[in-house]
Amino acid sequence: MPMHLPRKRFHPAAALCLLLAFSSMAHAVDVRIAVAANFTDTTRDLIAAFGEATGLEAVASFGSTGKLYAQIEHGAPFDVFLAADSHRPELLEKSGQGVAGTRFTYAKGKLALWSPVRDTFEDPKVWLESGKFARLAIANPKTAPYGLAAQEVLTQMGLWESLQDRLVRGDSIAQTFQFVATSNAQSGFVALSQVRAWDEKGGSLWVIPQAYYSPIKQQVILLTRSATKNAAHQWLEFLRGDEARSIIEESGYETER
C-alpha cells in the first residue's frame, strides 16, 4: 500500500489562529508573502536583496501551494502570493481575491530525481524500472505542483501504478526533500533548486528532461486586500528586475526575460 501522510482538514478555527498569529506581527513588517515551499532558500536571498535595495522589511511564510491557497481563501493576511503553479494565482484573479493584471511568471521550475548517496543510480530510468528500492519520495500531487510533475513523469514512464506501494508523499516539496536528505527514502523527485542549496555535495542526480512533464510556471499575484499597499507593489517591481532574476536563475530556475 502507498504511504500517505495523515490529511488534515482546514478548519475555521485554524484560520482564526492564523489570523491572530499574523496580526501580532502586522505592525513589524512592510510586506507579507506566501511562498511555495520549493522557493524557500531563493526567497530568503531575495528578501535580503529587497531590504538592501528598498529599506523595506519582507516576511515570508512557506508551504505547499495548495495549502497556502486554502489559507488565502480563508482570509490569511498575506499581501502577495508566490505559487509554484499558474493555476491557483489564476483562480484568485478570477475570484477577485487577486488583483487583475498583477499576475506574472517569476520562475520556471525544474524537476530532478535525487539521492544524497553516490551511485544510487547510474541509469535513472533503469533504476526506477527495477523497483530495487523501498521508498521513493514525491510531493503530494494534489497540493504541490512539483508532486504533480513527478506523477506525470512516472505516468509517462509507465510506472505510476506499479510503484504505488513504494511512494512516500510529502505534504510539500520541502518535506519531500527532507525524506530523501534524512534517508527515509532512497531517492525522490525534488526541485533542482533544493539540490543546489543543499549544504553537502555529491550524491546522484538526474535533471529530468522537460518533455517528461508539463512546464512548472511559478506565478505571483498581488492579493486584493493589499491592492493599494505600496510595499507590496515594490516587491512585485523588485521581483521583475534584473537583480532578482539573477538570484532566481543562480538558484536553479529559468526566468522570462
Side-chain angles (χ1 to χ4, degrees), residues 136-159:
L136 177 68
I138 68 168
N140 186 345
K142 294 182 179 180
T143 58
Y146 280 80
L148 181 60
Q151 179 179 340
E152 290 178 347
V153 172
L154 292 175
T155 299
Q156 179 155 323
M157 295 179 69
L159 299 174

Side-chain angles (χ1 to χ4, degrees), residues 99-185:
V99 179
T102 64
R103 179 169 58 91
F104 65 89
T105 299
Y106 64 90
K108 294 180 181 179
K110 297 180 181 180
L111 186 69
L113 180 69
W114 174 72
S115 170
V117 180
R118 291 182 183 274
D119 301 322
T120 296
F121 48 80
E122 292 184 8
D123 186 324
K125 297 179 184 178
V126 171
W127 185 79
L128 287 169
E129 290 170 354
S130 73
K132 294 180 179 179
F133 47 87
R135 295 186 180 95
L136 177 68
I138 68 168
N140 186 345
K142 294 182 179 180
T143 58
Y146 280 80
L148 181 60
Q151 179 179 340
E152 290 178 347
V153 172
L154 292 175
T155 299
Q156 179 155 323
M157 295 179 69
L159 299 174
W160 178 246
E161 296 299 333
S162 63
L163 291 180
Q164 285 300 302
D165 62 347
R166 292 178 174 85
L167 296 181
V168 54
R169 292 167 171 81
D171 186 57
S172 67
I173 197 65
Q175 187 177 52
T176 305
F177 185 86
Q178 285 301 311
F179 285 160
V180 184
T182 56
S183 299
N184 285 299

Side-chain angles (χ1 to χ4, degrees), residues 41-246:
D41 294 293
T42 309
T43 298
R44 289 171 179 154
D45 292 338
L46 289 170
I47 284 176
F50 176 70
E52 291 180 5
T54 65
L56 298 172
E57 182 181 4
V59 169
S61 295
F62 305 98
S64 71
T65 291
K67 290 202 170 182
L68 290 172
Y69 172 77
Q71 290 174 6
I72 291 168
E73 282 201 309
H74 284 82
F78 298 116
D79 301 312
V80 180
F81 181 30
L82 275 70
D85 65 6
S86 59
H87 178 60
R88 272 101 170 177
E90 184 177 3
L91 289 177
L92 291 172
E93 185 177 44
K94 288 180 178 178
S95 71
Q97 290 179 287
V99 179
T102 64
R103 179 169 58 91
F104 65 89
T105 299
Y106 64 90
K108 294 180 181 179
K110 297 180 181 180
L111 186 69
L113 180 69
W114 174 72
S115 170
V117 180
R118 291 182 183 274
D119 301 322
T120 296
F121 48 80
E122 292 184 8
D123 186 324
K125 297 179 184 178
V126 171
W127 185 79
L128 287 169
E129 290 170 354
S130 73
K132 294 180 179 179
F133 47 87
R135 295 186 180 95
L136 177 68
I138 68 168
N140 186 345
K142 294 182 179 180
T143 58
Y146 280 80
L148 181 60
Q151 179 179 340
E152 290 178 347
V153 172
L154 292 175
T155 299
Q156 179 155 323
M157 295 179 69
L159 299 174
W160 178 246
E161 296 299 333
S162 63
L163 291 180
Q164 285 300 302
D165 62 347
R166 292 178 174 85
L167 296 181
V168 54
R169 292 167 171 81
D171 186 57
S172 67
I173 197 65
Q175 187 177 52
T176 305
F177 185 86
Q178 285 301 311
F179 285 160
V180 184
T182 56
S183 299
N184 285 299
Q186 282 77 14
S187 184
F189 289 95
V190 300
L192 177 61
S193 59
Q194 294 173 299
V195 181
R196 291 256 182 107
W198 195 52
D199 291 335
E200 301 179 42
K201 303 300 179 184
S204 305
L205 178 68
W206 178 36
V207 180
I208 299 168
Q210 184 60 73
Y212 280 77
Y213 60 97
S214 302
I216 303 174
K217 292 186 176 182
Q218 303 195 191
Q219 291 199 339
V220 60
I221 192 167
L222 175 66
L223 300 178
T224 301
R225 66 182 307 278
S226 303
T228 60
K229 192 169 186 177
N230 184 56
H233 283 275
Q234 288 192 60
W235 171 262
L236 292 180
E237 182 179 353
F238 172 77
L239 201 58
R240 286 184 181 273
D242 290 339
E243 182 178 10
R245 286 176 176 174
S246 294

